[in-house]
């Protein structure tokens, strides 16, 4: 998740992620502006500017968006679809990808965590690093069990200036080792929101084809 202001102040940070093969996701120009407060035309300009800036600077076109402060207006999904984005991370209403209908076409909503997120948990609710790590493990184990019946998406939102503190980092490492062990055993798919979106879209297309009536014989 990147603010495009990073290109002005520390482009080497984004460059390192690009070299590593990470997905770049639009996250506004700066978190000092609440997207949901903007008039529609200014919001459209923001979305288009960030998409084009990332494409120009990093030579990749972002497919996804998370609004700064997860702030959106009544027309944000419409504007995202109209400015070329394929999915949003703004909504937390489900643990599965959901296809939205906007005024111009379809937009995917990919789950983004409001609970497994160090800002609301550690900063707002004053949870310590040990409890936050336990929360990740408990959530993971429960969702792993539920996923026997249906595919689910579990995200973990981390901010290095919070969980990167050494006394918190050692607990986070313990939690992520639990996730990594399941990944190495082939039990879970550790991936990006863009890959999840592509997988969900392909699955939806496949289901539609299976449900389509067979053509009438000539």
């Amino acid at each position: 998740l990147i603010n495009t202001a990073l290109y002005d102040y520390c482009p080497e940070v984004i460059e390192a992620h690009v070299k590593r093969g990470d997905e770049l996701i639009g996250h506004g120009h700066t978190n000092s502006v609440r997207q949901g407060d903007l008039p529609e035309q200014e919001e459209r300009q923001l979305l288009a500017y960030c998409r084009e800036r990332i494409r120009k600077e990093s030579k990749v076109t972002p497919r996804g968006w998370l609004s700064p402060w997860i702030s959106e207006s009544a027309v944000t999904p419409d504007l995202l679809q109209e400015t070329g984005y394929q999915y949003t991370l703004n909504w937390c209403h489900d643990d599965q990808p959901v296809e939205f209908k906007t005024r111009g076409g379809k937009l995917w909503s990919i789950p983004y965590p409001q609970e497994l997120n160090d800002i609301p948990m550690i900063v707002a609710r004053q949870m310590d690093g040990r409890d936050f790590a336990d929360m990740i493990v408990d959530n993971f184990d429960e969702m792993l069990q539920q996923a026997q019946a249906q595919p689910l998406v579990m995200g973990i939102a981390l901010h290095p200036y919070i969980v990167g503190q050494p006394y918190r980092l050692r607990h986070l490492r313990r939690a992520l080792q639990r996730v990594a062990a399941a990944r190495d055993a082939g039990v879970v798919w550790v991936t990006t929101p863009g890959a999840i979106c592509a997988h969900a879209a392909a699955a939806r297309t496949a289901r539609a084809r299976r449900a389509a009536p067979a053509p009438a014989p000539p």
Side-chain angles (χ1 to χ4, degrees), residues 39-51:
E40 180 173 339
Q41 187 55 34
E42 290 185 24
E43 185 179 6
R44 181 190 299 276
Q45 291 172 351
L46 172 69
L47 295 172
Y49 169 82
C50 291
R51 190 168 186 268

Side-chain angles (χ1 to χ4, degrees), residues 9 13 17 25 31 39 51 55 73 81 88 97 103 138 142 148-149 153 161 169 171 179 197-198 208 218:
Y9 296 101
V13 173
H17 284 288
I25 300 169
N31 275 29
R51 190 168 186 268
R55 187 200 64 77
S73 70
Q81 190 276 332
T88 177
R103 63 191 181 190
D138 289 344
E142 176 62 25
Q148 300 303 312
V153 176
Y161 70 94
L169 183 60
H171 296 296
V179 176
C197 179

